[in-house]
Amino acid sequence: MEKKDILVTGDRPTGNLHLGHYVGTLENRIKLQDQFDCFFLIADLHMLTTHNERVDELRLNIESLVIDWISVGLDPNNSCFYLQSLVPEINELTLLLSMICSVPRVQRIPTLKEKTSQLGDNENYSVGLLSYPILMSADILIFNAKKVPVGEDQLSHVELARELSRRFNSLYGYTITEPEPLISEFSRLVGIDGKSKMSKSLNNCIYLIDNQEEVNKKVMKMFTDPNRTSPDIPGKVEGNPVFIYHDIFNQNKAEVDEFKERYKKGKIGDVEVKKSLAKNINVFLEPIRERRSQLKKNRSEIFDIIIDGSTRARKLAKENIDRIKDSMKINFKEI
Ligand code: ATP
Ligand code: MG
């Protein structure tokens, strides 16, 4: 069998996944899982970089993340689902890479700047947060990954991993594969508030776990064209969340076009457009819900999947860290 390139990507177990995750990453992963040897990371250590107090919820979050993954169609028999903390070689590599990475270099990462400024007091963030970009590089480099799917906003992380692999190789001899980003087309799905991207912490999400009534309620509340106080006022379609969602989740393109035409002429009410949208989101979520309820009946299987995946990931990580330490001449096995 032909050997496939390794691909690494993953999520932090910080809560349930939503439609933004689906269109932003999950849909792409489903397509990539046959093409590549995929390693899907459950990044529990990354959760600690910003939520060090939330350890009680970790186990449940890890379980629900894996349930979300499988229920949308990621296949643990085909790809490797692994838990970061069960592969300690990642930490070992993080430390080694931190020796060849300068502090200003990580401080230039835009996402780190964003995170530290969100915390308010810029002086008051952990070393763990400062070094999370190096941990992320180690997540990728430990497997000699060739591809890393990312949105534009995450590119700087892959750029650091590329730089560190080059620096390592030029210092110690060619050992680590230089990864490449696989840029996904879809950018950001706006939340139901119409203001910012759908995000757990902004309370503007439709979750994959939401039931029919929850979806109906959320869609009915969804922001539309604020100038349209009655159905006979011509409305704006561009940038209108209800139509952004219709374009993604309504498979009947002719119906969407017809809604748009009538909306622009003031010949359809928001309620009709929203009812159809809610129906279509529910049609999309139904098979996901079914798979979820099957999985929930067999919860112990979920941790078996994680253990199996982590064991496989660790085997490869051990081989690679050995090579890396050999190159660095710090592999004193006989002592
Ligand atoms: P938090 O509010 O805790 O930041 P979140 O809901 O924004 O949570 P993240 O864990 O930050 O979710 O997102 C992980 C990844 O999922 C992002 O890097 C991005 O690729 C994708 N993603 C998240 N939200 C969206 C969205 N609204 N549209 C497209 N992609 C998204
Ligand atoms: Mg976020």
PDB file of all heavy atoms in Angstrom, residues 12 14 18 21 111 114-115 118 153-154 188 197-202, ligand 2:
ATOM      1  N   ARG A  12      -9.075  22.012  20.831  1.00  0.00           N
ATOM      2  CA  ARG A  12      -8.986  22.022  22.292  1.00  0.00           C
ATOM      3  C   ARG A  12     -10.309  21.501  22.863  1.00  0.00           C
ATOM      4  O   ARG A  12     -11.369  21.871  22.359  1.00  0.00           O
ATOM      5  CB  ARG A  12      -8.759  23.448  22.796  1.00  0.00           C
ATOM      6  CG  ARG A  12      -7.496  24.070  22.265  1.00  0.00           C
ATOM      7  CD  ARG A  12      -7.029  25.227  23.118  1.00  0.00           C
ATOM      8  NE  ARG A  12      -8.017  26.291  23.253  1.00  0.00           N
ATOM      9  CZ  ARG A  12      -7.918  27.255  24.166  1.00  0.00           C
ATOM     10  NH1 ARG A  12      -6.893  27.284  25.002  1.00  0.00           N
ATOM     11  NH2 ARG A  12      -8.825  28.202  24.234  1.00  0.00           N
ATOM     12  N   THR A  14     -12.623  22.272  24.847  1.00  0.00           N
ATOM     13  CA  THR A  14     -13.153  23.349  25.697  1.00  0.00           C
ATOM     14  C   THR A  14     -14.684  23.384  25.696  1.00  0.00           C
ATOM     15  O   THR A  14     -15.269  24.281  26.283  1.00  0.00           O
ATOM     16  CB  THR A  14     -12.628  24.725  25.231  1.00  0.00           C
ATOM     17  OG1 THR A  14     -12.838  24.836  23.828  1.00  0.00           O
ATOM     18  CG2 THR A  14     -11.158  24.901  25.531  1.00  0.00           C
ATOM     19  N   HIS A  18     -19.646  23.636  17.236  1.00  0.00           N
ATOM     20  CA  HIS A  18     -20.813  24.301  16.647  1.00  0.00           C
ATOM     21  C   HIS A  18     -20.710  24.355  15.123  1.00  0.00           C
ATOM     22  O   HIS A  18     -19.733  23.853  14.536  1.00  0.00           O
ATOM     23  CB  HIS A  18     -20.975  25.699  17.261  1.00  0.00           C
ATOM     24  CG  HIS A  18     -19.717  26.526  17.292  1.00  0.00           C
ATOM     25  ND1 HIS A  18     -19.076  26.955  16.141  1.00  0.00           N
ATOM     26  CD2 HIS A  18     -18.974  26.994  18.335  1.00  0.00           C
ATOM     27  CE1 HIS A  18     -18.013  27.670  16.481  1.00  0.00           C
ATOM     28  NE2 HIS A  18     -17.909  27.698  17.811  1.00  0.00           N
ATOM     29  N   HIS A  21     -17.449  25.523  13.635  1.00  0.00           N
ATOM     30  CA  HIS A  21     -16.402  24.498  13.548  1.00  0.00           C
ATOM     31  C   HIS A  21     -16.651  23.591  12.345  1.00  0.00           C
ATOM     32  O   HIS A  21     -15.720  23.181  11.661  1.00  0.00           O
ATOM     33  CB  HIS A  21     -16.381  23.630  14.813  1.00  0.00           C
ATOM     34  CG  HIS A  21     -15.944  24.363  16.045  1.00  0.00           C
ATOM     35  ND1 HIS A  21     -16.745  24.512  17.139  1.00  0.00           N
ATOM     36  CD2 HIS A  21     -14.785  24.998  16.339  1.00  0.00           C
ATOM     37  CE1 HIS A  21     -16.100  25.202  18.071  1.00  0.00           C
ATOM     38  NE2 HIS A  21     -14.904  25.512  17.611  1.00  0.00           N
ATOM     39  N   THR A 111      -1.947  35.615  17.204  1.00  0.00           N
ATOM     40  CA  THR A 111      -2.945  34.995  18.086  1.00  0.00           C
ATOM     41  C   THR A 111      -2.521  35.087  19.548  1.00  0.00           C
ATOM     42  O   THR A 111      -3.360  35.219  20.435  1.00  0.00           O
ATOM     43  CB  THR A 111      -3.153  33.515  17.712  1.00  0.00           C
ATOM     44  OG1 THR A 111      -3.072  33.395  16.310  1.00  0.00           O
ATOM     45  CG2 THR A 111      -4.487  32.997  18.190  1.00  0.00           C
ATOM     46  N   GLU A 114      -3.296  38.558  20.657  1.00  0.00           N
ATOM     47  CA  GLU A 114      -4.739  38.675  20.872  1.00  0.00           C
ATOM     48  C   GLU A 114      -5.139  38.068  22.216  1.00  0.00           C
ATOM     49  O   GLU A 114      -5.863  38.669  22.997  1.00  0.00           O
ATOM     50  CB  GLU A 114      -5.422  37.909  19.751  1.00  0.00           C
ATOM     51  CG  GLU A 114      -6.816  38.360  19.370  1.00  0.00           C
ATOM     52  CD  GLU A 114      -7.310  37.487  18.217  1.00  0.00           C
ATOM     53  OE1 GLU A 114      -6.771  37.604  17.092  1.00  0.00           O
ATOM     54  OE2 GLU A 114      -8.189  36.660  18.473  1.00  0.00           O
ATOM     55  N   LYS A 115      -4.607  36.882  22.477  1.00  0.00           N
ATOM     56  CA  LYS A 115      -4.978  36.190  23.723  1.00  0.00           C
ATOM     57  C   LYS A 115      -4.503  36.948  24.943  1.00  0.00           C
ATOM     58  O   LYS A 115      -5.224  37.065  25.932  1.00  0.00           O
ATOM     59  CB  LYS A 115      -4.417  34.769  23.740  1.00  0.00           C
ATOM     60  CG  LYS A 115      -5.188  33.863  22.826  1.00  0.00           C
ATOM     61  CD  LYS A 115      -4.843  32.407  23.037  1.00  0.00           C
ATOM     62  CE  LYS A 115      -5.751  31.574  22.141  1.00  0.00           C
ATOM     63  NZ  LYS A 115      -5.440  30.181  22.066  1.00  0.00           N
ATOM     64  N   GLN A 118      -6.577  39.987  25.491  1.00  0.00           N
ATOM     65  CA  GLN A 118      -7.898  39.643  26.035  1.00  0.00           C
ATOM     66  C   GLN A 118      -7.835  39.430  27.547  1.00  0.00           C
ATOM     67  O   GLN A 118      -8.789  39.674  28.268  1.00  0.00           O
ATOM     68  CB  GLN A 118      -8.440  38.361  25.395  1.00  0.00           C
ATOM     69  CG  GLN A 118      -9.163  38.593  24.080  1.00  0.00           C
ATOM     70  CD  GLN A 118      -9.372  37.302  23.310  1.00  0.00           C
ATOM     71  OE1 GLN A 118      -9.067  36.212  23.799  1.00  0.00           O
ATOM     72  NE2 GLN A 118      -9.883  37.418  22.106  1.00  0.00           N
ATOM     73  N   ASP A 153      -6.039  32.761   9.648  1.00  0.00           N
ATOM     74  CA  ASP A 153      -5.683  33.300  10.967  1.00  0.00           C
ATOM     75  C   ASP A 153      -4.712  32.413  11.739  1.00  0.00           C
ATOM     76  O   ASP A 153      -4.094  32.846  12.703  1.00  0.00           O
ATOM     77  CB  ASP A 153      -6.960  33.559  11.794  1.00  0.00           C
ATOM     78  CG  ASP A 153      -7.838  32.318  11.914  1.00  0.00           C
ATOM     79  OD1 ASP A 153      -7.733  31.429  11.048  1.00  0.00           O
ATOM     80  OD2 ASP A 153      -8.614  32.242  12.880  1.00  0.00           O
ATOM     81  N   GLN A 154      -4.584  31.150  11.295  1.00  0.00           N
ATOM     82  CA  GLN A 154      -3.700  30.228  12.021  1.00  0.00           C
ATOM     83  C   GLN A 154      -2.356  30.029  11.307  1.00  0.00           C
ATOM     84  O   GLN A 154      -1.503  29.282  11.783  1.00  0.00           O
ATOM     85  CB  GLN A 154      -4.369  28.852  12.143  1.00  0.00           C
ATOM     86  CG  GLN A 154      -5.687  28.857  12.885  1.00  0.00           C
ATOM     87  CD  GLN A 154      -5.478  28.909  14.373  1.00  0.00           C
ATOM     88  OE1 GLN A 154      -4.609  28.228  14.906  1.00  0.00           O
ATOM     89  NE2 GLN A 154      -6.261  29.715  15.059  1.00  0.00           N
ATOM     90  N   ARG A 188     -14.765  32.467   8.066  1.00  0.00           N
ATOM     91  CA  ARG A 188     -15.443  32.449   9.348  1.00  0.00           C
ATOM     92  C   ARG A 188     -16.943  32.475   9.177  1.00  0.00           C
ATOM     93  O   ARG A 188     -17.460  33.266   8.405  1.00  0.00           O
ATOM     94  CB  ARG A 188     -15.049  33.696  10.139  1.00  0.00           C
ATOM     95  CG  ARG A 188     -13.578  33.775  10.302  1.00  0.00           C
ATOM     96  CD  ARG A 188     -13.184  34.978  11.086  1.00  0.00           C
ATOM     97  NE  ARG A 188     -11.933  34.662  11.731  1.00  0.00           N
ATOM     98  CZ  ARG A 188     -11.516  35.201  12.862  1.00  0.00           C
ATOM     99  NH1 ARG A 188     -12.249  36.079  13.478  1.00  0.00           N
ATOM    100  NH2 ARG A 188     -10.372  34.844  13.381  1.00  0.00           N
ATOM    101  N   LYS A 197     -17.842  36.344  14.643  1.00  0.00           N
ATOM    102  CA  LYS A 197     -17.842  34.944  14.227  1.00  0.00           C
ATOM    103  C   LYS A 197     -18.491  34.088  15.304  1.00  0.00           C
ATOM    104  O   LYS A 197     -18.442  34.443  16.495  1.00  0.00           O
ATOM    105  CB  LYS A 197     -16.432  34.484  13.915  1.00  0.00           C
ATOM    106  CG  LYS A 197     -15.535  34.306  15.117  1.00  0.00           C
ATOM    107  CD  LYS A 197     -14.393  33.370  14.788  1.00  0.00           C
ATOM    108  CE  LYS A 197     -13.769  32.872  16.073  1.00  0.00           C
ATOM    109  NZ  LYS A 197     -12.946  31.702  15.956  1.00  0.00           N
ATOM    110  N   MET A 198     -19.074  33.003  14.873  1.00  0.00           N
ATOM    111  CA  MET A 198     -19.692  32.104  15.839  1.00  0.00           C
ATOM    112  C   MET A 198     -18.611  31.616  16.790  1.00  0.00           C
ATOM    113  O   MET A 198     -17.561  31.141  16.358  1.00  0.00           O
ATOM    114  CB  MET A 198     -20.331  30.933  15.101  1.00  0.00           C
ATOM    115  CG  MET A 198     -21.127  30.033  15.993  1.00  0.00           C
ATOM    116  SD  MET A 198     -22.011  28.736  15.098  1.00  0.00           S
ATOM    117  CE  MET A 198     -23.447  29.600  14.536  1.00  0.00           C
ATOM    118  N   SER A 199     -18.853  31.775  18.082  1.00  0.00           N
ATOM    119  CA  SER A 199     -17.831  31.462  19.068  1.00  0.00           C
ATOM    120  C   SER A 199     -18.481  31.101  20.396  1.00  0.00           C
ATOM    121  O   SER A 199     -19.368  31.821  20.856  1.00  0.00           O
ATOM    122  CB  SER A 199     -16.952  32.710  19.233  1.00  0.00           C
ATOM    123  OG  SER A 199     -15.786  32.381  19.894  1.00  0.00           O
ATOM    124  N   LYS A 200     -17.989  29.990  20.971  1.00  0.00           N
ATOM    125  CA  LYS A 200     -18.575  29.509  22.236  1.00  0.00           C
ATOM    126  C   LYS A 200     -18.726  30.612  23.262  1.00  0.00           C
ATOM    127  O   LYS A 200     -19.740  30.756  23.901  1.00  0.00           O
ATOM    128  CB  LYS A 200     -17.657  28.453  22.858  1.00  0.00           C
ATOM    129  CG  LYS A 200     -17.748  27.109  22.253  1.00  0.00           C
ATOM    130  CD  LYS A 200     -16.905  26.133  23.051  1.00  0.00           C
ATOM    131  CE  LYS A 200     -15.414  26.397  22.951  1.00  0.00           C
ATOM    132  NZ  LYS A 200     -14.765  25.871  21.755  1.00  0.00           N
ATOM    133  N   SER A 201     -17.640  31.389  23.398  1.00  0.00           N
ATOM    134  CA  SER A 201     -17.637  32.361  24.484  1.00  0.00           C
ATOM    135  C   SER A 201     -18.527  33.567  24.192  1.00  0.00           C
ATOM    136  O   SER A 201     -18.722  34.403  25.058  1.00  0.00           O
ATOM    137  CB  SER A 201     -16.215  32.807  24.783  1.00  0.00           C
ATOM    138  OG  SER A 201     -15.502  32.929  23.594  1.00  0.00           O
ATOM    139  N   LEU A 202     -19.066  33.663  22.987  1.00  0.00           N
ATOM    140  CA  LEU A 202     -19.913  34.824  22.662  1.00  0.00           C
ATOM    141  C   LEU A 202     -21.405  34.495  22.696  1.00  0.00           C
ATOM    142  O   LEU A 202     -22.240  35.358  22.425  1.00  0.00           O
ATOM    143  CB  LEU A 202     -19.535  35.385  21.285  1.00  0.00           C
ATOM    144  CG  LEU A 202     -18.110  35.914  21.170  1.00  0.00           C
ATOM    145  CD1 LEU A 202     -17.800  36.325  19.744  1.00  0.00           C
ATOM    146  CD2 LEU A 202     -17.889  37.102  22.111  1.00  0.00           C
TER     147      LEU A 202
HETATM  148 MG    MG B   2     -11.970  31.142  19.398  1.00  0.00          MG
END
